[in-house]
Amino acid sequence: MRPKEHAKRKASDGVVDFRTWDRHNMPATSPTSAATWTNERIELLKSHFHAGLSCREIAADIGVSRNAVIGKLSRLNLTRGPKREERSVDKSTARALRTLRRLQYEMLDAIYDEAETPLAHAPIDETNRCSLLELSENRCRWPISTPGADDFCFCGNASPDGQSYCTGHARLAYRPNGRARLVRG
DNA sequence: CCCTGATTCGC
DNA sequence: GCGAATCAGG
């Protein structure tokens, strides 16, 4: 992905390519207060990045342009290079993994939106984790980590009445989408 | 055409 | 350091 090394022109040079100007560079927020990278925004950026959100999604949530996100990630030496567990799988599987991670993240994010002390309301015991083969009717099937990862396992806590999840994870699982959807522009 | 992330370089 | 312009590619 190496851009050619010639013909770099800026709008200030009087040369603007109106063919591509630019649906990807939606203006950020109010131009009033110089929207710079505060610590909070950087933390949001990192969080969303590690959650597998796309740069556009991150940008929409933070309120900056997509290029701003990409530029900042680049400066932070954060990249979306092939992850170890995704390197050798086919594309559709890799895509499914990304989707799963994003969904898990959105569930947690929804919890954070509603509860000030999320973990206190949904105590999750980590001591009963088990493998796929160890699952049973009364064991929580909430996936831990990423499928295919070395440490992938299931919650394994007691789940009442043979339900799929323990009480804590049921709260995560059966929550309607509480996150504002992105608006395409 | 839509989109994605990556890079360059004027500011 | 920031990010618009532009790239390569799905």
Side-chain angles (χ1 to χ4, degrees):
Chain A
M1 321 228 182
R2 192 164 289 104
K4 293 186 178 178
E5 300 169 357
H6 62 77
K8 282 292 189 180
R9 292 298 179 273
K10 309 287 294 188
S12 57
D13 294 331
V15 179
V16 178
D17 187 346
F18 288 102
R19 297 168 306 179
T20 60
W21 181 86
D22 189 355
R23 50 194 174 276
H24 302 143
N25 293 318
M26 299 307 296
T29 44
S30 58
T32 56
S33 61
T36 180
W37 284 103
T38 64
N39 291 333
E40 296 175 356
R41 282 183 168 184
I42 293 177
E43 289 308 308
L44 260 180
L45 173 70
K46 291 178 180 176
S47 174
H48 291 167
F49 175 81
H50 288 119
L53 297 184
S54 72
C55 290
R56 167 170 292 282
E57 291 169 321
I58 297 172
D61 191 75
I62 296 182
V64 298
S65 71
R66 188 179 72 100
N67 277 345
V69 168
I70 293 174
K72 186 59 179 175
L73 286 175
S74 181
R75 255 170 271 123
L76 291 172
N77 289 321
L78 292 176
T79 178
R80 290 198 189 271
K83 298 229 162 164
R84 195 172 61 258
E85 72 267 20
E86 295 177 5
R87 190 169 300 166
S88 59
V89 301
D90 60 278
K91 290 175 183 174
S92 67
T93 301
R95 195 172 184 82
L97 289 174
R98 281 178 43 231
T99 301
L100 176 59
R101 273 189 304 183
R102 193 187 70 244
L103 288 175
Q104 288 180 331
Y105 171 83
E106 287 180 353
M107 287 192 237
L108 292 174
D109 199 36
I111 292 295
Y112 274 80
D113 281 348
E114 269 192 26
E116 300 300 325
T117 57
L119 295 182
H121 289 78
I124 295 171
D125 193 348
E126 299 185 358
T127 61
N128 294 317
R129 291 181 175 179
C130 65
S131 70
L132 172 65
L133 296 182
E134 291 170 324
L135 283 177
S136 65
E137 284 297 316
N138 299 321
R139 293 253 249 165
C140 176
R141 294 172 170 75
W142 185 267
I144 306 297
S145 182
T146 303
D150 294 337
D151 60 344
F152 178 65
C153 59
F154 295 88
C155 170
N157 280 335
S159 59
D161 301 325
Q163 293 186 8
S164 296
Y165 304 118
C166 67
T167 304
H169 280 130
R171 288 197 172 166
L172 296 178
Y174 303 124
R175 176 174 297 273
N177 181 15
R179 190 77 196 152
R181 288 319 309 158
L182 297 173
V183 179
R184 296 265 180 220

